[in-house]
Amino acid sequence: MVEIRAAHDGDLQDVTDIMNALLATTTCEWTDTPHTVEERRAWLERVTAAGHPVFVAADGASVLGWASYGDFRDTAKWPGYSGTVELTIHVREAAWGRGVGRLLIDALITHARARGKHVMIAAIDGENDASIRFHERLGFAEVGRLPGVGEKFGRRLDLVLMQRALDVVDVANVPER
Ligand SMILES: CC(C)(COP(=O)(O)OP(=O)(O)OC[C@H]1O[C@@H](n2cnc3c(N)ncnc32)[C@H](O)[C@@H]1OP(=O)(O)O)[C@@H](O)C(=O)NCCC(=O)NCCS
């Protein structure tokens, strides 16, 4: 039984491990530097202090994945962006394909809608076909592709921007009966 709940300090080792698991072998995150629990602790404090969510999907004591959103661009500098948020999601590989990611995105969308947000953005590595397909299934549509803006493993990488409107019911996301 998977439960979606707010992340707390005791989850940070799992959150860190889940992020680091794919770092050395994939381009899904454009860094080579492993995350640490201390860095994730500062991040959790910063994100929650800003009123943004960090959710984990937990199966008993085991954290299967986590998701969060924050400002898309600097809303202190440009308040006009405050209706738009950008998400991050990571699910443990052993739990892929079991609906965990969908539960986490649903929780983010419910949270964002309750706060009057209008648009959710996912910024995805162009080689991360799994994530692009996943976001399509969750009602996101590709709205932009920025060629060669990133780099990892000596390769220039594209950034794919996907967007979902939050203040309309998206029929594409209603499960088939
Ligand atoms: C992308 C990711 C979050 C998907 O999580 P998940 O728990 O496996 O996804 P779910 O099981 O909830 O799948 C939800 C839907 O997406 C689809 N989907 C998931 N992975 C897919 C894939 N690789 N290819 C095609 N469709 C996929 C599922 O079929 C499902 O559709 P349905 O509910 O209509 O049947 C997960 O693979 C992951 O964490 N990947 C590594 C990190 C990453 O890339 N994060 C995103 C960075 S932008």
Side-chain angles (χ1 to χ4, degrees):
M1 174 70 186
V2 178
E3 175 203 11
I4 305 296
R5 58 166 174 76
H8 56 65
D9 197 80
D11 300 318
L12 291 174
Q13 185 66 60
D14 283 332
V15 165
T16 306
D17 292 345
I18 291 168
M19 292 184 84
N20 286 342
L22 299 177
L23 213 58
T25 53
T26 75
T27 53
C28 71
E29 243 204 313
W30 292 350
T31 177
D32 299 316
T33 309
H35 299 281
T36 65
V37 171
E38 293 68 34
E39 168 229 310
R40 287 293 94 191
R41 183 168 292 123
W43 159 82
L44 180 62
E45 284 169 10
R46 194 172 61 245
V47 171
T48 49
H52 299 312
V54 180
F55 291 122
V56 293
D59 187 358
S62 167
V63 173
L64 303 180
W66 67 270
S68 178
Y69 71 69
D71 289 341
F72 170 56
R73 301 195 73 194
D74 185 344
T75 54
K77 203 169 167 187
W78 302 299
Y81 282 110
S82 61
T84 299
V85 292
E86 180 179 342
L87 73 90
T88 314
I89 181 165
H90 291 262
V91 174
R92 197 183 285 283
E93 189 168 357
W96 288 355
R98 286 168 40 190
V100 173
R102 180 181 280 280
L103 289 174
L104 285 165
I105 296 282
D106 286 348
L108 292 184
I109 288 174
T110 300
H111 186 282
R113 279 187 170 145
R115 279 146 192 86
K117 304 297 180 187
H118 302 298
V119 174
M120 190 170 280
I121 300 283
I124 305 172
D125 164 41
E127 293 187 355
N128 192 350
D129 199 51
S131 181
I132 293 169
R133 299 281 91 78
F134 165 78
H135 283 89
E136 281 172 355
R137 292 298 298 162
L138 272 292
F140 289 75
E142 182 174 329
V143 290
R145 189 172 279 256
L146 284 58
V149 296
E151 193 170 337
K152 191 169 178 182
F153 306 141
R155 295 202 296 279
R156 298 288 300 278
L157 300 165
D158 301 347
L159 186 70
V160 174
L161 295 176
M162 299 188 76
Q163 175 169 335
R164 181 174 162 168
L166 300 178
D167 34 17
V168 292
V169 175
D170 189 339
V171 288
N173 195 40
V174 175
E176 287 160 10
R177 290 170 207 281

